[in-house]
Amino acid sequence: MHRLDAILTLAGASLRSEFQYRANVVTSIVGGLIYQLTGFLVVFIIVDRFTELGGWTLPEITFLYGMRLTSHGIFYATISQMFEFDRVLINGEYDRFLVRPMSPLVQVLTRKLRVNCFGDLLGGLILLLAASRGVDVDWSLAAIGMLLAAVVGGALVEGAVQIALGSLSFRYLNTLQIRVVANEIFNVYGNYPFRIFPGLLQYLLTFALPVAFVAYLPASVILDETNGLHVSTTLAVAAPVIGVALFMLALLFWRRMSRHYQSAGN
Amino acid sequence: MPIIDVDNLVKEFHRPKRFDGPLGGLRTLVTRQMITSRAVDGVSFSIDEGELVGYLGSNGAGKSTTIKMLSGILVPTSGHVAVNGLVPWQERERNALQIGVVFGQRTQLWWDLPLADSLKIIGKLYRVEPDRYRRNLDQFIDLLGLEPFLGTPVRQLSLGQRMRGDLAAAMLYEPRILYLDEPTVGLDVVAKERTRQFIEQINRETGTTILLTTHDLADVERLCNRIIFIDKGNVLYDGPVDRLKRRYAPYRMLDVALAGDGDSAGAIRLDLPGVEIVEQGDARLRIQFDPEVIAVTDLITAVIAEHDVSDIAIVEPDLEGVVRQIVESGNTALTMGGDRS
Amino acid sequence: MTIRANLPAWVEIAKANIRWQYMYRFNVLAGIVLTGVTIYLLTIVWKAAFGSQSEVDGIALEQMLVYLTIANLQLYFLRPEIAGDIQARIREGQIGFDLSRPASYPSQLFASAAGDMIGLLPMVVVAIPVAFVLGELRLPATPADGLAYVASLLLAWVVAVELNMLIGLVSFWTLEMTGFQMVYTLVGNFATGALIPLWFMPDAIRAVVQVLPFQAIAYVPVSIYVGEPATGAIGSALALQLFWAAALVLVIRFVWSRAFRHTVIQGG
């Protein structure tokens, strides 16, 4: 109970810190929203012009995009501070986190909030809502449950990758660029039905970098597009569980790598 | 039983070898070649509850590394540490509850929030019950004069105000041990004095054990009765401040101001054993003497007998000079000079 | 003559920025990887979109893929970072030094952007093979197209720098512009036509993009490269770019004179 209380206290502090700059909060959220919707516009234009992509209709692809963006928003709201991790190590903030009676990882993740995550979340939800009526899905409790689990699981998958890659900084200090590249791959490849990718790429983006588990696999299940999937349907259904598992693995890896922490002289 | 016990502590750092030139970054990334350096090389000491100890040494001597091992930030290569019975890096979180840490260069307060908010957050993180929190907060507001800027965002505080806020944050949960790393660095005279007063007060009144690293030896002279001096990862001296001075700086200075015009200054000579004029000019004299050889009173009598003196003062050797002398002589034979019992 | 007098200063600023690019070679390499990632994705997506058709609206698939590859390759080199620099200089209170130099501030910014670009140029050695493997590259149909493209590319760079500078000058009024910059980056990218050429944009969107200067950065030069010049003829396409390059000079002068009066140096 105390742990949760401490996490909420820290998260609240970063939220309040951000709201000291009101104008920036508004422009960041609106900016984030426009940013994401412009990204969608590209997909929209292509699919609209050619009526379908890889056998997926416009509402289906919108749905996929919405799922991924919502996951990304959740990920961004909670784990985006991994993008600052190199700096935390180099400027000595991590020392401070280690002399407090709580997990240093939690303190890293709650040190600041990037408010534009709300723009991502908003964009994702708008797309999901817009697409939910256009797609041919019976919105039963099970389907809604799968959607919720998948969206959270997707955030965990992205989080796991960023935490695992970030852990490398304990040894190598500058790994930001690797994380940026990984993040970009999730952002651009995660929005498309994998069917349009060459076979090898489909497997790489499933098992080497788990992009498929964020949105494509669970979306295939919800949209009943599992025919001809490059992996078994069971694996697709299990995507949220895989998200949890990957996240646990990432935490273990983090713990292991943190033994290499050498603290940055002065 | 000592509250901090450090036994033969060693810390080695391994860094991947850096390569330059094209693809140097990549080679640095994949290399297995390591460069090893020993920052702390067999340090032992123990500190009793309620002591206020100065931990000194030049940059890179191993001070910070030691403090980091004592606070659970770093895991030592070998050796043993017990802080109030806990091994800091093994029981990091429990240890964190019993220590306060102030890094003079970096604040632990929330930059964009009012000071009061930061203190409240610290209170929660360290599980301070509400009424104890209230009581401690009132006490520190009082002691440190925080009232006027409690509602000010930390980023707008002066360095001195921020340090006061940091001290309050570190003591809010009544840790038994307080590590202060350069607490007066960058502060103006008034803020320095205020900080020292507070450190002295909490040590005296709450019996908090304090380990202080600083470059400002005035801090040490004012606050500590014991110092541990390390260089190149080794303890050079551990003991009372005045004994260090007696041992390494046996001389005292006598500053004499002469009355009348400065013309007579040129003629001054003193033929006394153990006495030497080290500075002279403008109706002022600085005389170095060895109190073991000549008593102060005899010296003063001799000076007054021959000259018109308007003022006279005895200057104690400052720690700064003593420390410089030790480091420059690199006299490792002095190691373990402190035969503390 | 001010140009003669200022030249050494400009050269020094440019040189300093070339060195910067070297210090940040990790970022520079990551930028190439990101560009490769984008090019590869666009290639896949457009191949899938074309499906079995070899030509859509008079545009051949190969032409399309070459367009996307060149456009994104070129976008990598035409990404001035002066907006961020201006912001950092103002935040750190160093803008005073820049303003006290004898050369005008916009001209200094131009020099630093030139340095950035020249510093990046050696990366062509890496970027072109990456683009070749992941995308679709071929030479322009005629040498004349190639020459016109080079001229157009230079103008594209000028327009890119000018637009980036305008965004940067906003920081003289407010430093809180994360959101603003994000919008600029993506809307800007979209409106350059690097992700979707104007000829495939829906009419309503194309009507908007056509009156914006961004098209001069990617769409105009690259459409010349693939032999489908924007306005139908190479001459008028170049004229369009020239128009924007000149018009933006006037806008910058105006905005800068306002910004200068408004200068409040933070910190200090």
Side-chain angles (χ1 to χ4, degrees):
Chain A
M1 225 42 243
H2 168 263
R3 243 163 241 278
L4 185 65
D5 191 32
I7 293 174
L8 291 179
T9 304
L10 287 175
S14 61
L15 188 69
R16 265 180 296 143
S17 295
E18 214 48 49
F19 273 79
Q20 303 292 314
Y21 306 92
R22 290 221 177 162
N24 205 34
V25 169
V26 177
T27 55
S28 293
I29 294 176
V30 174
L33 181 64
I34 296 179
Y35 183 90
Q36 295 298 351
L37 292 183
T38 312
F40 174 70
L41 191 61
V42 174
V43 183
F44 175 84
I45 290 173
I46 298 174
V47 183
D48 186 52
R49 174 70 184 71
F50 295 89
T51 67
E52 51 100 39
L53 198 62
W56 286 40
T57 62
L58 184 57
E60 285 178 322
I61 287 189
T62 309
F63 186 80
L64 171 64
Y65 205 105
M67 265 182 83
R68 204 207 64 82
L69 193 50
T70 310
S71 283
H72 186 70
I74 298 173
F75 152 75
Y76 214 60
T78 50
I79 296 166
S80 68
Q81 280 305 307
M82 282 315 292
F83 290 112
E84 309 276 331
F85 185 51
D86 292 8
R87 194 180 311 168
V88 172
L89 287 180
I90 289 164
N91 71 14
E93 260 184 279
Y94 197 72
D95 284 359
R96 168 56 64 193
F97 296 161
L98 284 172
V99 296
R100 288 197 182 130
M102 67 185 305
S103 147
L105 177 60
V106 167
Q107 296 178 75
V108 171
L109 298 185
T110 52
R111 67 187 272 281
K112 261 184 194 161
L113 181 74
R114 289 193 175 182
V115 272
N116 50 338
C117 67
F118 295 122
D120 295 18
L121 263 176
L122 208 59
L125 291 173
I126 290 172
L127 293 180
L128 267 184
L129 274 178
S132 64
R133 272 182 286 166
V135 293
D136 185 20
V137 173
D138 166 27
W139 286 110
S140 65
L141 223 52
I144 293 173
M146 177 69 190
L147 177 61
L148 288 178
V151 164
V152 174
L156 288 174
V157 172
E158 282 195 49
V161 169
Q162 291 299 329
I163 288 176
L165 292 177
S167 307
L168 294 175
S169 290
F170 281 119
R171 277 196 92 153
Y172 303 110
L173 288 181
N174 294 310
T175 62
L176 174 65
Q177 297 306 328
I178 299 173
R179 272 167 285 152
V180 169
V181 169
N183 184 49
E184 189 68 9
I185 293 176
F186 275 92
N187 284 346
V188 301
Y189 287 84
N191 303 322
Y192 294 91
F194 272 38
R195 232 167 274 176
I196 66 171
F197 299 156
L200 178 64
L201 185 65
Q202 294 189 22
Y203 287 102
L204 282 178
L205 292 182
T206 307
F207 299 110
L209 200 63
V211 179
F213 295 100
V214 177
Y216 171 62
L217 290 179
S220 304
V221 174
I222 295 172
L223 299 172
D224 195 20
E225 285 282 356
T226 50
N227 277 337
L229 210 55
H230 64 292
V231 295
S232 77
T233 309
T234 323
L235 196 65
V237 174
V241 183
I242 287 169
V244 175
L246 286 176
F247 197 75
M248 308 282 257
L249 279 176
L251 292 184
L252 281 178
F253 187 63
W254 164 278
R255 190 165 289 185
R256 226 193 128 71
M257 291 306 284
S258 68
R259 286 187 213 150
H260 292 284
Y261 179 58
Q262 297 205 337
S263 181
N266 292 308
Chain B
M1 188 192 144
I3 192 162
I4 298 176
D5 197 15
V6 178
D7 187 24
N8 209 9
L9 196 61
V10 174
K11 179 66 187 176
E12 285 177 349
F13 287 111
H14 309 278
R15 300 199 184 279
K17 194 175 169 193
R18 287 206 164 271
F19 294 90
D20 290 323
L23 296 179
L26 198 64
R27 282 178 71 196
T28 303
L29 211 61
V30 298
T31 184
R32 300 212 69 92
Q33 278 171 274
M34 291 284 177
I35 294 174
T36 300
S37 58
R38 209 166 240 238
V40 172
D41 191 9
V43 163
S44 303
F45 58 80
S46 61
I47 294 174
D48 288 326
E49 176 129 39
E51 276 196 278
L52 203 172
V53 178
Y55 196 56
L56 309 183
S58 48
N59 279 332
K63 289 180 310 223
S64 307
T65 308
T66 314
I67 300 274
K68 282 172 184 172
M69 289 187 279
L70 292 184
S71 47
I73 294 171
L74 286 175
V75 182
T77 308
S78 69
H80 184 73
V81 172
V83 175
N84 197 22
L86 298 178
V87 178
W89 56 92
Q90 283 171 2
E91 292 179 273
R92 193 185 58 74
E93 292 194 17
R94 276 183 67 196
N95 184 54
L97 284 170
Q98 61 175 12
I99 62 169
V101 185
V102 175
F103 299 113
Q105 323 248 22
R106 302 191 298 261
T107 181
Q108 73 153 318
L109 306 169
W110 276 256
W111 198 243
D112 291 318
L113 298 181
L115 175 59
D117 286 26
S118 284
L119 296 177
K120 200 181 240 169
I121 296 166
I122 298 286
K124 280 209 171 165
L125 295 187
Y126 285 86
R127 310 164 204 182
V128 185
E129 305 91 56
D131 49 334
R132 190 159 69 107
Y133 172 77
R134 196 66 247 168
R135 199 176 58 234
N136 290 352
L137 185 64
D138 287 344
Q139 188 197 345
F140 292 128
I141 288 175
D142 206 34
L143 274 178
L144 290 159
L146 305 178
E147 192 68 56
F149 49 89
L150 266 180
T152 312
V154 172
R155 63 170 189 279
Q156 290 169 10
L157 297 182
S158 73
L159 210 55
Q161 291 171 331
R162 211 162 77 204
M163 177 46 64
R164 282 189 265 164
D166 262 303
L167 285 168
M171 286 305 297
L172 204 52
Y173 47 95
E174 302 167 54
R176 290 179 70 180
I177 300 142
L178 183 60
Y179 301 126
L180 299 171
D181 193 7
E182 304 271 354
T184 57
V185 70
L187 301 185
D188 64 42
V189 184
V190 180
K192 267 186 185 173
E193 184 47 35
R194 188 151 203 169
T195 305
R196 287 172 191 152
Q197 256 173 29
F198 178 76
I199 295 171
E200 193 177 33
Q201 204 164 1
I202 52 165
N203 173 251
R204 198 178 55 227
E205 287 174 11
T206 65
T208 311
T209 309
I210 298 177
L211 189 60
L212 167 78
T213 79
T214 180
H215 276 106
D216 188 341
L217 294 163
D219 290 347
V220 180
E221 291 205 76
R222 165 72 197 279
L223 293 170
C224 311
N225 34 35
R226 173 184 170 198
I227 60 175
I228 299 171
F229 186 90
I230 70 164
D231 192 45
K232 300 192 182 84
N234 287 294
V235 175
L236 284 192
Y237 176 84
D238 179 354
V241 177
D242 43 339
R243 193 167 68 215
L244 181 78
K245 283 188 192 169
R246 260 205 316 280
R247 192 170 295 182
Y248 301 114
Y251 301 111
R252 298 284 179 281
M253 296 291 172
L254 194 68
D255 271 3
V256 181
L258 300 172
D261 49 37
D263 290 351
S264 60
I268 286 171
R269 274 177 51 234
L270 277 173
D271 282 326
L272 293 167
V275 174
E276 192 187 337
I277 297 173
V278 286
E279 256 178 76
Q280 190 179 118
D282 221 24
R284 296 205 144 268
L285 277 183
R286 173 162 271 208
I287 302 164
Q288 176 185 294
F289 67 99
D290 184 345
E292 305 266 302
V293 178
I294 182 167
V296 192
T297 44
D298 293 348
L299 176 62
I300 292 177
T301 314
V303 173
I304 293 175
E306 287 183 39
H307 306 284
D308 252 356
V309 172
S310 67
D311 193 12
I312 204 158
I314 302 166
V315 183
E316 290 284 314
D318 65 337
L319 196 52
E320 183 91 45
V322 178
V323 165
R324 202 181 314 125
Q325 204 182 324
I326 301 176
V327 175
E328 277 167 7
S329 70
N331 196 344
T332 39
L334 312 168
T335 310
M336 303 300 148
D339 29 334
R340 284 172 51 84
S341 44
Chain C
M1 215 30 232
T2 49
I3 293 183
R4 177 83 64 80
N6 284 326
L7 198 59
W10 291 336
V11 169
E12 279 318 305
I13 293 172
K15 275 191 190 160
N17 279 61
I18 294 175
R19 282 194 294 274
W20 272 106
Q21 295 285 13
Y22 267 86
M23 286 175 61
Y24 286 96
R25 53 182 186 274
F26 261 128
N27 300 29
V28 168
L29 278 175
I32 289 186
V33 175
L34 293 178
T35 302
V37 164
T38 308
I39 289 176
Y40 188 50
L41 177 87
L42 287 171
T43 306
I44 296 171
V45 170
W46 281 94
K47 265 187 195 161
F50 269 60
S52 52
Q53 299 159 274
S54 62
E55 201 183 293
V56 173
D57 293 353
I59 304 292
L61 176 61
E62 198 205 6
Q63 227 172 356
M64 185 63 206
L65 297 184
V66 172
Y67 175 95
L68 292 167
T69 308
I70 296 279
N72 285 281
L73 188 60
Q74 150 190 328
L75 210 56
Y76 168 74
F77 291 98
L78 301 190
R79 208 167 282 166
E81 282 162 21
I82 40 188
D85 289 350
I86 298 176
Q87 207 182 351
R89 299 290 284 182
I90 293 178
R91 179 165 285 144
E92 290 155 19
Q94 289 167 318
I95 195 80
F97 297 112
D98 303 330
L99 299 189
S100 64
R101 293 201 185 113
S104 87
Y105 190 48
S107 77
Q108 294 179 43
L109 290 172
F110 244 103
S112 69
D116 280 341
M117 217 263 287
I118 295 167
L120 268 183
L121 274 185
M123 298 313 290
V124 166
V125 183
V126 188
I128 288 186
V130 167
F132 184 77
V133 172
L134 296 176
E136 187 83 35
L137 273 187
R138 65 167 161 78
L139 291 174
T142 68
D145 282 354
L147 278 177
Y149 170 72
V150 172
S152 181
L153 188 58
L154 274 175
L155 286 168
W157 177 74
V158 173
V159 173
V161 173
E162 287 170 338
L163 285 169
N164 195 254
M165 194 184 303
L166 274 174
I167 295 298
L169 291 182
V170 173
S171 12
F172 278 85
W173 283 273
T174 172
L175 282 172
E176 298 179 351
M177 47 189 294
T178 334
F180 192 58
Q181 236 158 348
M182 282 177 70
V183 173
Y184 164 76
T185 309
L186 207 80
V187 174
N189 269 5
F190 177 82
T192 59
L195 304 171
I196 297 182
L198 271 68
W199 59 68
F200 280 127
M201 285 185 187
D203 295 341
I205 295 176
R206 186 170 50 229
V208 176
V209 172
Q210 249 167 352
V211 297
L212 295 177
F214 297 97
Q215 53 169 325
I217 298 176
Y219 175 62
V220 175
V222 187
S223 57
I224 290 176
Y225 189 100
V226 298
E228 298 281 339
T231 47
I234 289 175
S236 57
L238 288 174
L240 178 69
Q241 275 182 307
L242 255 176
F243 163 76
W244 277 118
L248 287 171
V249 168
L250 297 180
V251 178
I252 287 173
R253 284 210 170 158
F254 175 73
V255 175
W256 171 240
S257 71
R258 289 302 184 87
F260 190 70
R261 255 179 281 160
H262 194 272
T263 304
V264 179
I265 296 172
Q266 301 229 334

